[in-house]
Amino acid sequence: MKYKRILLKLSGEALMGDRQYGIDPERLSEYAADIKTITDKGVEVAIVIGGGNIFRGVAGASEGMDRVQGDHMGMLATVINGLALQSALENTGIPTRLQSAIKINEVAEPFIRRRAMRHLEKGRVVIFGGGTGNPYFTTDSAAVLRAIEIEADVILKGTRVDGIYNADPEKDAKATKFNTISFDDVLRKGLKVMDTTAFTLSQENELPIIVFDMNKKGNLFKVVSGENIGTEVNI
């Protein structure tokens, strides 16, 4: 395996499968099976998951809701998704811990960096819920922050497209994919990889990001083993 410790970033929408909202148990099972292929090889896996399939704070704010309240609702949504993913992983036999940035002790451990790293060393998958614990920060920012804290080798951003393109491949048939691209080029070309806060934090800490199609079975294993899948953003 090319990477020893990874941070896998999943969007909440990815858990919907073909549904309009909520969680698709079939999609969860597929993700759990893919994650097991790399944990079986000794790869240490941490996961940050979004909550957009249940609630998105920005959308709530646009409808007149208080933004801070909306973001807190979004944080709770990420914990719900974390619990669902934890259950799916444990059904495949993977020991798992859910840590939350907001105190919710009955269902999740509080986020403690040293404890998280110890779990990883013992072969447990650690799911980080609750975002950063602060409003106005996305789960992309949480993913980069946690990856830096646990000293991950790479951030793997699992999406429904197979990399970064110079245009939206779902709208433009002539869109060209990048196999590798530098942080500076992403900013220069105005490409959307993560929100600016998360992306800048990753760049400053020289933490590479790989964007790939998580919905294609076996892709996660290929990325972690070093195959040229998706797009790598590096210094």
Side-chain angles (χ1 to χ4, degrees), residues 180-199:
T180 59
I181 189 168
S182 69
F183 282 97
D184 288 339
D185 281 346
V186 168
L187 294 171
R188 195 178 303 116
K189 296 174 187 291
L191 303 174
K192 193 70 178 167
V193 178
M194 289 181 165
D195 69 82
T196 309
T197 304
F199 192 77

Side-chain angles (χ1 to χ4, degrees), residues 3 5-10 46-48 139-158 183 193-194 198-199 201-203 205-212 220 223-224 229 231-234:
Y3 304 106
R5 179 178 292 170
I6 67 161
L7 187 295
L8 177 63
K9 169 62 170 66
L10 298 173
I47 302 171
V48 168
T139 49
D140 278 348
S141 292
V144 177
L145 179 62
R146 295 291 181 251
I148 295 165
E149 287 178 307
I150 65 169
E151 300 173 10
D153 300 320
V154 65
I155 295 175
L156 304 183
K157 184 167 183 180
F183 282 97
V193 178
M194 289 181 165
F199 192 77
L201 187 60
S202 189
Q203 182 180 22
N205 288 274
E206 300 182 0
L207 182 65
I209 304 165
I210 298 177
V211 179
F212 72 106
L220 179 62
V223 170
V224 177
I229 300 291
T231 303
E232 180 175 353
V233 185
N234 217 323

Side-chain angles (χ1 to χ4, degrees), residues 68 71-72 74-76 78-79 99-103 111 128-139 141-143 145-146:
V68 175
D71 280 355
H72 282 142
M75 290 176 210
L76 292 172
T78 69
V79 175
Q99 292 196 343
S100 173
I102 52 177
K103 287 183 179 177
F111 169 68
F128 297 118
T132 65
N134 302 289
Y136 296 98
F137 288 90
T138 66
T139 49
S141 292
L145 179 62
R146 295 291 181 251

Side-chain angles (χ1 to χ4, degrees), residues 71-89:
D71 280 355
H72 282 142
M73 292 170 72
M75 290 176 210
L76 292 172
T78 69
V79 175
I80 292 171
N81 284 339
L83 285 166
L85 183 58
Q86 181 180 38
S87 178
L89 289 167

Side-chain angles (χ1 to χ4, degrees), residues 55-71 136:
F55 190 84
R56 190 174 287 281
V58 174
S62 69
E63 297 292 329
M65 180 179 288
D66 178 75
R67 172 65 188 273
V68 175
Q69 293 284 76
D71 280 355
Y136 296 98

